[in-house]
Each structure stands twice: as C-alpha cells, then as structure tokens.
Amino acid sequence: QIAGVYRHVAQGHLWDVTYLRHWDFANPSRLADELDAGADGIITSVPVRNAKLENRLRQSRIPTVFVDFDESDRLPGCCPVSAAVFTDEYRAGTEAARHLLQQGKVLSYAFVPGENRQRRWSRLREEGFIAELTRNGQAVRVFDRRRDDLTTFVADLPKPAAVAAASDELASRVLSVCRGLRIDVPVQMMLIGFDDDELVCENTAPRLTSVRIDHESVGFIAAETLERLMRAPGRKVRDVLVPPRGVAVRESTRRTVPAADLVERARLFIRDRAGLGITVDDVVRHAGVSRRLLYLRFEQQLGKSVLQAITDRRVELLKARLRSGKGSLETLALDCGFPTAGQARRVFKSATG
C-alpha cells in the first residue's frame, strides 16, 4: 500500500509525505506533533483511540482516508471529511473457491480463518469462499481454533480435499501439518492462500497458489481519494472496493504439473545449487512432487536420472574451475559440491576419460 501512495506522488503530485508506523500513529504525542506541523491530509489503517486527538481531528477537519478498516474501528465522527478504500475481501474468497472448483472433483472443502476470525479480512474471505461453494452445491468445513486442533482437523478431512487458508502465512502452516501427516499436496489435498506474498509462496514445497490481493492499487486509490478531498473538502467521495488481481497458480493446486515445466524447474535448481552440496531429496522437495514422478520425468525428458543430472553439473563446474588454473582437482572438489576429493576424481575420470 505504501508503494501505491508513492506511485501517486511520483506522477507529479507535490506531496511531502511523512510515514508513521502503527505504533507512531497510536502514540498521541507523536501524532499531535504531526498535526502541529500542519498536516493537510491523512491516510491511515490504524484507528485513533485517544479522546483528545479525536476531538482535535474533528475540529481541524483534516481530510482523512481510511484503508482496510474493520467496521468496528472506523471512526467517521472524529474525521468528518473522510472516505474509505477497502480490499474486496469477499470477492477474494469467491475467487479462491472458483479456482478450487475448476481443479476437479474432491470429497471435501475446508477453510482455515485468521487468528481473530472476526477481523474484516478473514471474515469476508471466509464468507465469500463459503458462499461460492454453497452456490455450487458444496459444503465447507471451517476450522475453529477454540475447539479444534489443526493437525486433527486436516487429518480428518475426507481426501482428496481442497483447503483455503485466510493468508499465505496460515497456508504455510497448513502445509507443514500436511508434511507431518505425509499428506501429498496437491494430490491428496489442494491448498490455496491469500495475498500472494512471494517470499512465502515461492519458498514452500510445493510452491503455494494464492489469491493476488492488490495492495498497491489500494494505496494508489487511497492517495487519489485524499487528493480529491484536499482539493474540494466539501465534495462527497464514495468508498471504494478494490478487487483482487486473480489467482497466482503454483504447484499446491496443480494436480498435474506439465512434464516440461517440472523438469525445467528441477534442472534450474540443480544448475544453481549443485555446487552447494545438494542431494536428490533437496531437488524433490523443490519440485514439489514425488521422487518417483520426478525420476520418471527426468528419464523421459533428459534421458538421465536426477542424481546423474546433479553429477553432470558438478563436473561442469569442476572443469571450469580447473581451466581457470586456480587450484587442483583435490582442492576444488568440495567447492563444486562433491562430498570428497576421491569421488570427484573417480567421476571426473569417468566423464572425461
């Protein structure tokens, strides 16, 4: 959202932006200092809970845009010149459900809500998910952390199952539970998260499918809305709902991965990591499929095993190092990923004659 605000500023709007973190905004003296400095407008996702500040904001009539507020937090009375910009969380829930429905028949659907199930983002994602599946004649089991254990909940779902977790972080927890229970994702259970946090989604095994929440557009539209309020404080500005940007599809909901894509993903991993001492198990985890399937695809596409592909890449690295003249085979072996110099010597001799 911050990126969206600065994108608006970069388009020629002469704003002097002060960024207050949550704890700064909640600090009455810190916020009062900014008001004393002459703030012309406020964009906030943090409620004001100080009576003196509420009164001051009410009197100052500083234009304020609320971003992704819970209805219980929004305080329009203290900010009479205001508008709100929300992520369309309900629609995000429906898109998650539609994606799972498109993947084929399963025996059960489930939703794992946020820690506080009543927070707007979690509640509306859940409502949209359930409504879309209900329209399609499907029942949804909802995890209740007050009475359920997550491991037991996941284990008890009739398989194959399809599960949505209210955030990518929660989805990664569900994925960890599946690993502990030896549940094959996505064969036995498909899993989708929300937010498309690439730091999470690209580093799970298998990689995580996620609904792409358009946080940057929320920030950009909030800045545009504030601009209109500051230019014409008396103008009535409607609240805005920002839809998600579709679904980023990854392996956690792909029940069949195209053979060429699977092999290429594993091959690139080997190319980049062979010198770090990776094993076949590391490649299997990165590919997000079973060892048997990965070996089968390698034989079909490359005519060699995963282990042979790792060894071939290490030989390439060793040849390049030796050509540079910066060491002997024995001293360079470990740097190229070989477990011992003796193995490097045998493999190198076999490969080069």
CSV table of all heavy atoms in Angstrom, one decimal, residues 287-329:
chain,number,residue,atom,x,y,z
A,287,ALA,N,10.9,-29.4,-6.3
A,287,ALA,CA,10.0,-29.7,-7.4
A,287,ALA,C,8.6,-29.9,-6.9
A,287,ALA,O,7.6,-29.6,-7.6
A,287,ALA,CB,10.4,-31.0,-8.1
A,288,GLY,N,8.4,-30.3,-5.6
A,288,GLY,CA,7.1,-30.4,-5.1
A,288,GLY,C,6.3,-31.6,-5.6
A,288,GLY,O,5.0,-31.6,-5.5
A,289,VAL,N,7.0,-32.6,-6.0
A,289,VAL,CA,6.3,-33.9,-6.5
A,289,VAL,C,7.0,-35.0,-5.8
A,289,VAL,O,8.0,-34.9,-5.1
A,289,VAL,CB,6.3,-34.0,-8.0
A,289,VAL,CG1,5.5,-32.9,-8.7
A,289,VAL,CG2,7.8,-34.0,-8.5
A,290,SER,N,6.5,-36.2,-6.1
A,290,SER,CA,7.1,-37.4,-5.5
A,290,SER,C,8.4,-37.7,-6.2
A,290,SER,O,8.6,-37.4,-7.4
A,290,SER,CB,6.2,-38.6,-5.6
A,290,SER,OG,6.0,-39.0,-7.0
A,291,ARG,N,9.3,-38.4,-5.5
A,291,ARG,CA,10.6,-38.9,-6.1
A,291,ARG,C,10.4,-39.7,-7.3
A,291,ARG,O,11.1,-39.5,-8.3
A,291,ARG,CB,11.4,-39.6,-5.0
A,291,ARG,CG,12.7,-40.2,-5.5
A,291,ARG,CD,13.4,-41.1,-4.5
A,291,ARG,NE,13.9,-40.3,-3.4
A,291,ARG,CZ,15.2,-40.1,-3.2
A,291,ARG,NH1,16.1,-40.5,-4.0
A,291,ARG,NH2,15.6,-39.4,-2.2
A,292,ARG,N,9.4,-40.6,-7.2
A,292,ARG,CA,9.2,-41.5,-8.4
A,292,ARG,C,8.8,-40.7,-9.6
A,292,ARG,O,9.3,-41.0,-10.7
A,292,ARG,CB,8.1,-42.5,-8.0
A,292,ARG,CG,7.7,-43.5,-9.1
A,292,ARG,CD,6.6,-44.4,-8.7
A,292,ARG,NE,6.2,-45.3,-9.7
A,292,ARG,CZ,5.2,-46.2,-9.7
A,292,ARG,NH1,4.5,-46.3,-8.5
A,292,ARG,NH2,4.9,-47.0,-10.7
A,293,LEU,N,7.9,-39.7,-9.5
A,293,LEU,CA,7.4,-38.9,-10.6
A,293,LEU,C,8.5,-38.1,-11.2
A,293,LEU,O,8.7,-38.0,-12.4
A,293,LEU,CB,6.2,-38.0,-10.2
A,293,LEU,CG,5.7,-37.1,-11.3
A,293,LEU,CD1,5.2,-37.9,-12.5
A,293,LEU,CD2,4.6,-36.2,-10.8
A,294,LEU,N,9.4,-37.5,-10.3
A,294,LEU,CA,10.5,-36.7,-10.8
A,294,LEU,C,11.5,-37.5,-11.6
A,294,LEU,O,12.0,-37.1,-12.6
A,294,LEU,CB,11.1,-36.0,-9.6
A,294,LEU,CG,12.2,-34.9,-10.0
A,294,LEU,CD1,11.6,-33.8,-10.8
A,294,LEU,CD2,12.9,-34.4,-8.8
A,295,TYR,N,11.8,-38.7,-11.1
A,295,TYR,CA,12.7,-39.6,-11.8
A,295,TYR,C,12.2,-40.0,-13.1
A,295,TYR,O,12.9,-40.0,-14.1
A,295,TYR,CB,13.0,-40.8,-10.9
A,295,TYR,CG,14.3,-40.8,-10.1
A,295,TYR,CD1,14.4,-40.0,-8.9
A,295,TYR,CD2,15.5,-41.3,-10.6
A,295,TYR,CE1,15.6,-39.9,-8.2
A,295,TYR,CE2,16.7,-41.2,-9.9
A,295,TYR,CZ,16.7,-40.5,-8.7
A,295,TYR,OH,17.9,-40.4,-8.1
A,296,LEU,N,10.9,-40.3,-13.2
A,296,LEU,CA,10.2,-40.7,-14.4
A,296,LEU,C,10.3,-39.6,-15.4
A,296,LEU,O,10.6,-39.8,-16.6
A,296,LEU,CB,8.8,-41.1,-14.1
A,296,LEU,CG,7.9,-41.5,-15.4
A,296,LEU,CD1,8.5,-42.7,-16.0
A,296,LEU,CD2,6.5,-41.7,-15.0
A,297,ARG,N,10.0,-38.4,-15.0
A,297,ARG,CA,10.0,-37.2,-15.9
A,297,ARG,C,11.4,-36.9,-16.4
A,297,ARG,O,11.6,-36.6,-17.6
A,297,ARG,CB,9.4,-36.0,-15.3
A,297,ARG,CG,7.9,-36.1,-14.9
A,297,ARG,CD,7.1,-36.1,-16.2
A,297,ARG,NE,5.7,-36.2,-15.9
A,297,ARG,CZ,4.9,-37.3,-16.1
A,297,ARG,NH1,5.5,-38.4,-16.6
A,297,ARG,NH2,3.7,-37.3,-15.8
A,298,PHE,N,12.5,-37.1,-15.5
A,298,PHE,CA,13.8,-36.8,-16.0
A,298,PHE,C,14.3,-37.9,-17.0
A,298,PHE,O,14.9,-37.5,-18.0
A,298,PHE,CB,14.8,-36.9,-14.7
A,298,PHE,CG,15.2,-35.5,-14.2
A,298,PHE,CD1,14.2,-34.7,-13.7
A,298,PHE,CD2,16.5,-35.1,-14.3
A,298,PHE,CE1,14.5,-33.4,-13.2
A,298,PHE,CE2,16.8,-33.8,-13.8
A,298,PHE,CZ,15.9,-33.0,-13.3
A,299,GLU,N,13.9,-39.1,-16.8
A,299,GLU,CA,14.2,-40.1,-17.8
A,299,GLU,C,13.6,-39.9,-19.1
A,299,GLU,O,14.2,-40.0,-20.2
A,299,GLU,CB,13.8,-41.5,-17.3
A,299,GLU,CG,14.7,-42.0,-16.1
A,299,GLU,CD,16.1,-42.4,-16.5
A,299,GLU,OE1,16.4,-42.4,-17.7
A,299,GLU,OE2,16.9,-42.6,-15.6
A,300,GLN,N,12.3,-39.4,-19.1
A,300,GLN,CA,11.5,-39.2,-20.3
A,300,GLN,C,12.1,-37.9,-21.0
A,300,GLN,O,12.2,-38.0,-22.3
A,300,GLN,CB,10.1,-38.9,-20.0
A,300,GLN,CG,9.3,-40.2,-19.5
A,300,GLN,CD,7.9,-39.9,-19.0
A,300,GLN,OE1,7.6,-38.7,-18.6
A,300,GLN,NE2,7.1,-40.9,-19.0
A,301,GLN,N,12.4,-36.9,-20.3
A,301,GLN,CA,12.8,-35.6,-20.9
A,301,GLN,C,14.3,-35.5,-21.2
A,301,GLN,O,14.7,-34.9,-22.2
A,301,GLN,CB,12.3,-34.4,-20.0
A,301,GLN,CG,10.9,-34.3,-19.8
A,301,GLN,CD,10.1,-33.8,-21.0
A,301,GLN,OE1,10.6,-32.9,-21.6
A,301,GLN,NE2,9.0,-34.4,-21.3
A,302,LEU,N,15.1,-36.0,-20.3
A,302,LEU,CA,16.6,-35.8,-20.4
A,302,LEU,C,17.3,-37.1,-20.6
A,302,LEU,O,18.5,-37.1,-20.9
A,302,LEU,CB,17.1,-35.1,-19.1
A,302,LEU,CG,16.5,-33.8,-18.8
A,302,LEU,CD1,17.1,-33.2,-17.5
A,302,LEU,CD2,16.6,-32.8,-19.9
A,303,GLY,N,16.7,-38.2,-20.4
A,303,GLY,CA,17.4,-39.5,-20.6
A,303,GLY,C,18.4,-39.8,-19.5
A,303,GLY,O,19.4,-40.5,-19.7
A,304,LYS,N,18.2,-39.2,-18.3
A,304,LYS,CA,19.1,-39.5,-17.2
A,304,LYS,C,18.4,-39.3,-15.9
A,304,LYS,O,17.2,-38.8,-15.9
A,304,LYS,CB,20.3,-38.5,-17.2
A,304,LYS,CG,19.9,-37.0,-17.1
A,304,LYS,CD,21.1,-36.1,-17.0
A,304,LYS,CE,21.7,-35.9,-18.3
A,304,LYS,NZ,22.8,-34.8,-18.3
A,305,SER,N,19.0,-39.8,-14.8
A,305,SER,CA,18.4,-39.7,-13.5
A,305,SER,C,18.7,-38.3,-12.9
A,305,SER,O,19.5,-37.6,-13.4
A,305,SER,CB,18.9,-40.8,-12.6
A,305,SER,OG,20.3,-40.5,-12.3
A,306,VAL,N,17.9,-38.0,-11.8
A,306,VAL,CA,18.2,-36.7,-11.1
A,306,VAL,C,19.6,-36.7,-10.6
A,306,VAL,O,20.3,-35.7,-10.7
A,306,VAL,CB,17.2,-36.6,-10.0
A,306,VAL,CG1,17.5,-35.3,-9.2
A,306,VAL,CG2,15.7,-36.5,-10.5
A,307,LEU,N,20.0,-37.9,-10.0
A,307,LEU,CA,21.4,-37.9,-9.5
A,307,LEU,C,22.4,-37.7,-10.5
A,307,LEU,O,23.4,-37.0,-10.3
A,307,LEU,CB,21.6,-39.3,-8.8
A,307,LEU,CG,23.0,-39.5,-8.2
A,307,LEU,CD1,23.3,-38.5,-7.1
A,307,LEU,CD2,23.1,-40.9,-7.6
A,308,GLN,N,22.2,-38.3,-11.7
A,308,GLN,CA,23.2,-38.1,-12.8
A,308,GLN,C,23.2,-36.6,-13.2
A,308,GLN,O,24.3,-36.1,-13.6
A,308,GLN,CB,22.8,-39.0,-14.0
A,308,GLN,CG,23.9,-38.9,-15.1
A,308,GLN,CD,25.2,-39.4,-14.6
A,308,GLN,OE1,25.3,-40.5,-14.0
A,308,GLN,NE2,26.3,-38.6,-14.9
A,309,ALA,N,22.0,-35.9,-13.2
A,309,ALA,CA,22.0,-34.5,-13.6
A,309,ALA,C,22.8,-33.7,-12.6
A,309,ALA,O,23.5,-32.7,-13.0
A,309,ALA,CB,20.5,-34.0,-13.7
A,310,ILE,N,22.7,-34.0,-11.3
A,310,ILE,CA,23.5,-33.3,-10.3
A,310,ILE,C,25.0,-33.5,-10.5
A,310,ILE,O,25.8,-32.6,-10.5
A,310,ILE,CB,23.1,-33.7,-8.9
A,310,ILE,CG1,21.6,-33.4,-8.6
A,310,ILE,CG2,24.0,-33.1,-7.8
A,310,ILE,CD1,21.1,-34.0,-7.3
A,311,THR,N,25.4,-34.8,-10.8
A,311,THR,CA,26.8,-35.1,-11.0
A,311,THR,C,27.3,-34.4,-12.2
A,311,THR,O,28.4,-33.9,-12.2
A,311,THR,CB,26.9,-36.6,-11.1
A,311,THR,OG1,26.4,-37.3,-10.0
A,311,THR,CG2,28.4,-37.0,-11.3
A,312,ASP,N,26.5,-34.4,-13.3
A,312,ASP,CA,27.0,-33.8,-14.6
A,312,ASP,C,27.2,-32.3,-14.4
A,312,ASP,O,28.2,-31.7,-14.9
A,312,ASP,CB,25.9,-34.0,-15.7
A,312,ASP,CG,25.9,-35.4,-16.2
A,312,ASP,OD1,26.7,-36.2,-15.8
A,312,ASP,OD2,24.9,-35.7,-16.9
A,313,ARG,N,26.4,-31.7,-13.6
A,313,ARG,CA,26.5,-30.2,-13.3
A,313,ARG,C,27.8,-30.0,-12.5
A,313,ARG,O,28.5,-29.0,-12.8
A,313,ARG,CB,25.3,-29.7,-12.6
A,313,ARG,CG,25.4,-28.2,-12.2
A,313,ARG,CD,25.7,-27.3,-13.4
A,313,ARG,NE,25.8,-25.9,-13.0
A,313,ARG,CZ,26.3,-24.9,-13.7
A,313,ARG,NH1,26.9,-25.2,-14.8
A,313,ARG,NH2,26.3,-23.7,-13.2
A,314,ARG,N,28.1,-30.8,-11.6
A,314,ARG,CA,29.3,-30.7,-10.7
A,314,ARG,C,30.6,-30.9,-11.6
A,314,ARG,O,31.6,-30.2,-11.4
A,314,ARG,CB,29.3,-31.7,-9.6
A,314,ARG,CG,28.3,-31.3,-8.5
A,314,ARG,CD,28.1,-32.3,-7.4
A,314,ARG,NE,27.1,-31.8,-6.4
A,314,ARG,CZ,26.5,-32.6,-5.6
A,314,ARG,NH1,26.7,-33.9,-5.6
A,314,ARG,NH2,25.7,-32.1,-4.7
A,315,VAL,N,30.5,-31.8,-12.5
A,315,VAL,CA,31.6,-32.0,-13.4
A,315,VAL,C,31.9,-30.7,-14.3
A,315,VAL,O,33.0,-30.3,-14.5
A,315,VAL,CB,31.4,-33.2,-14.3
A,315,VAL,CG1,32.5,-33.3,-15.4
A,315,VAL,CG2,31.5,-34.5,-13.5
A,316,GLU,N,30.8,-30.1,-14.7
A,316,GLU,CA,30.9,-28.9,-15.5
A,316,GLU,C,31.6,-27.8,-14.7
A,316,GLU,O,32.5,-27.1,-15.1
A,316,GLU,CB,29.5,-28.4,-15.9
A,316,GLU,CG,28.8,-29.2,-17.0
A,316,GLU,CD,27.5,-28.6,-17.3
A,316,GLU,OE1,27.2,-27.4,-16.9
A,316,GLU,OE2,26.7,-29.3,-18.0
A,317,LEU,N,31.1,-27.7,-13.4
A,317,LEU,CA,31.7,-26.7,-12.5
A,317,LEU,C,33.2,-26.9,-12.3
A,317,LEU,O,34.0,-26.0,-12.3
A,317,LEU,CB,31.0,-26.6,-11.2
A,317,LEU,CG,29.5,-26.2,-11.2
A,317,LEU,CD1,28.9,-26.4,-9.9
A,317,LEU,CD2,29.4,-24.7,-11.6
A,318,LEU,N,33.5,-28.2,-12.1
A,318,LEU,CA,34.9,-28.6,-11.8
A,318,LEU,C,35.8,-28.3,-13.1
A,318,LEU,O,36.9,-27.8,-12.9
A,318,LEU,CB,35.0,-30.0,-11.4
A,318,LEU,CG,36.3,-30.6,-10.9
A,318,LEU,CD1,36.9,-29.7,-9.8
A,318,LEU,CD2,36.2,-32.0,-10.5
A,319,LYS,N,35.3,-28.6,-14.3
A,319,LYS,CA,36.1,-28.3,-15.5
A,319,LYS,C,36.4,-26.8,-15.6
A,319,LYS,O,37.5,-26.4,-15.9
A,319,LYS,CB,35.3,-28.8,-16.7
A,319,LYS,CG,35.3,-30.3,-16.9
A,319,LYS,CD,34.5,-30.6,-18.2
A,319,LYS,CE,34.4,-32.1,-18.5
A,319,LYS,NZ,33.6,-32.4,-19.7
A,320,ALA,N,35.3,-26.0,-15.3
A,320,ALA,CA,35.5,-24.6,-15.4
A,320,ALA,C,36.5,-24.1,-14.4
A,320,ALA,O,37.4,-23.2,-14.8
A,320,ALA,CB,34.2,-23.9,-15.2
A,321,ARG,N,36.5,-24.6,-13.2
A,321,ARG,CA,37.5,-24.2,-12.2
A,321,ARG,C,38.9,-24.6,-12.6
A,321,ARG,O,39.9,-23.8,-12.4
A,321,ARG,CB,37.1,-24.8,-10.8
A,321,ARG,CG,35.8,-24.3,-10.3
A,321,ARG,CD,36.0,-22.8,-9.7
A,321,ARG,NE,34.8,-22.4,-9.0
A,321,ARG,CZ,34.7,-22.5,-7.7
A,321,ARG,NH1,35.6,-23.1,-7.0
A,321,ARG,NH2,33.6,-22.1,-7.1
A,322,LEU,N,39.0,-25.8,-13.1
A,322,LEU,CA,40.4,-26.3,-13.5
A,322,LEU,C,41.0,-25.5,-14.6
A,322,LEU,O,42.2,-25.2,-14.7
A,322,LEU,CB,40.3,-27.8,-13.8
A,322,LEU,CG,40.1,-28.7,-12.7
A,322,LEU,CD1,39.8,-30.1,-13.2
A,322,LEU,CD2,41.3,-28.7,-11.7
A,323,ARG,N,40.1,-25.1,-15.6
A,323,ARG,CA,40.6,-24.3,-16.7
A,323,ARG,C,41.1,-22.9,-16.2
A,323,ARG,O,41.9,-22.3,-16.9
A,323,ARG,CB,39.4,-24.1,-17.7
A,323,ARG,CG,39.2,-25.3,-18.6
A,323,ARG,CD,38.4,-24.9,-19.9
A,323,ARG,NE,37.1,-24.5,-19.5
A,323,ARG,CZ,36.0,-25.3,-19.4
A,323,ARG,NH1,36.1,-26.6,-19.6
A,323,ARG,NH2,34.8,-24.8,-19.1
A,324,SER,N,40.5,-22.4,-15.1
A,324,SER,CA,40.9,-21.1,-14.6
A,324,SER,C,42.3,-21.2,-14.0
A,324,SER,O,43.0,-20.2,-13.8
A,324,SER,CB,39.9,-20.6,-13.6
A,324,SER,OG,40.0,-21.4,-12.4
A,325,GLY,N,42.8,-22.4,-13.7
A,325,GLY,CA,44.1,-22.6,-13.2
A,325,GLY,C,44.3,-22.1,-11.7
A,325,GLY,O,45.4,-21.8,-11.3
A,326,LYS,N,43.2,-22.1,-11.0
A,326,LYS,CA,43.2,-21.6,-9.6
A,326,LYS,C,43.2,-22.7,-8.6
A,326,LYS,O,42.9,-22.5,-7.4
A,326,LYS,CB,42.1,-20.6,-9.4
A,326,LYS,CG,42.2,-19.4,-10.2
A,326,LYS,CD,41.0,-18.4,-9.9
A,326,LYS,CE,41.1,-17.2,-10.8
A,326,LYS,NZ,40.0,-16.2,-10.5
A,327,GLY,N,43.6,-23.9,-8.9
A,327,GLY,CA,43.7,-25.0,-7.9
A,327,GLY,C,43.7,-26.3,-8.6
A,327,GLY,O,43.5,-26.5,-9.8
A,328,SER,N,43.9,-27.3,-7.8
A,328,SER,CA,43.9,-28.7,-8.3
A,328,SER,C,42.6,-29.3,-8.1
A,328,SER,O,41.7,-28.8,-7.4
A,328,SER,CB,45.0,-29.5,-7.5
A,328,SER,OG,44.5,-29.6,-6.1
A,329,LEU,N,42.4,-30.5,-8.7
A,329,LEU,CA,41.1,-31.2,-8.6
A,329,LEU,C,40.8,-31.5,-7.2
A,329,LEU,O,39.6,-31.3,-6.8
A,329,LEU,CB,41.2,-32.5,-9.4
A,329,LEU,CG,39.9,-33.3,-9.5
A,329,LEU,CD1,39.8,-34.1,-10.9
A,329,LEU,CD2,39.8,-34.3,-8.4
